[in-house]
Amino acid sequence: MNRIHCIEHVAFETPGRIADWVVERGHSFATTRVYDGEPFPALDAFDSLVLMGGPMGVHDDERFPWLREEKRLIEAALGADRRVLGVCLGAQLVAQVLGARVYRNRFKEIGWFPVYATAAGHAQWKLPKEFWAFHWHGDAFDLPKEAVHLAKSAACEHQMFAAGTKVLGIQFHLEVTHAGIGEMLLNGAGDLGEGPYMQTAAAMTAANSHAASVHAHLDAVLDRWVSA
């Protein structure tokens, strides 16, 4: 059994399918909800750390002082050879702690858009060469030093990376559910607008049939991650 601890930054970006996968595989699952002021876990309290998304950015330490503590936790987890998985904001935090630059992307990418696996992503992590995924981000990151580039999209070159086999950063949302998309649309309506990689709320909802296939891709990635 793997002790998995999840950090949630806002109530409307939940672990979604990740939580279901944990139950199905028989792992234990604990959660810290920083938006409710819950304390971060001690390093010896988990084997694997999952960092979810949120509308804040990695440079917003003044507005969200807990970001400093979270970065220290990530650094400690990496130093202790724990498994670490970052999703969206979580991936950006992992990239920054690993020394990579995090910055405003040229385009916001919001909605269902294709993702393209690199050769390493396809061969090592069993990602399809092309698949649809849900996106909701305006920031991007450089590839951390010695990390392996696993996936990209037309709007964003670095969509997924691995540092060894225990550390993963995923910019897109394989974990998202129909209900989760509804919550993101409700709480993130101010992010929507015009752009080449921006779907309407109606288009996002209509494309929810992609969720089942992305969950299969997520399960395969998580199975490999915890077996590392």
Side-chain angles (χ1 to χ4, degrees), residues 37-187:
E38 295 178 354
F40 286 101
L43 186 60
D44 60 4
F46 61 86
D47 305 306
S48 304
L49 186 65
V50 177
L51 313 161
M52 297 310 303
M56 61 287 297
V58 301
H59 304 295
D60 291 341
D61 304 61
E62 294 300 321
R63 290 181 59 203
F64 304 97
W66 48 260
L67 278 167
R68 299 187 185 97
E69 187 175 356
E70 183 165 353
K71 292 172 190 179
R72 289 194 293 269
L73 176 64
I74 296 169
E75 187 174 20
L78 295 173
D81 201 31
R82 298 288 196 272
R83 296 177 187 86
V84 179
L85 166 63
V87 177
C88 202
L89 170 64
Q92 295 160 18
L93 286 165
V94 174
Q96 186 187 56
V97 171
L98 288 171
R101 180 175 66 109
V102 180
Y103 53 93
R104 184 66 63 186
N105 197 39
R106 182 181 178 189
F107 301 108
K108 284 185 178 180
E109 188 174 21
I110 299 178
W112 289 98
F113 294 102
V115 172
Y116 306 94
T118 64
H122 179 63
Q124 298 174 17
W125 289 88
K126 309 307 179 186
L127 293 172
K129 292 183 178 179
E130 179 180 348
F131 58 98
W132 287 82
F134 189 74
H135 307 258
W136 197 302
H137 69 101
D139 288 346
F141 49 78
D142 289 338
L143 196 66
K145 186 179 180 181
E146 299 181 2
V148 177
H149 187 200
L150 301 179
K152 61 184 178 179
S153 69
C156 186
E157 178 66 17
H158 298 135
Q159 283 280 2
M160 182 174 175
F161 68 86
T165 55
K166 291 186 176 182
V167 180
L168 285 174
I170 306 176
Q171 182 85 287
F172 47 92
H173 293 273
L174 293 176
E175 83 291 347
V176 76
T177 63
H178 296 178
I181 291 175
E183 286 297 312
M184 292 170 77
L185 285 169
L186 180 65
N187 290 276

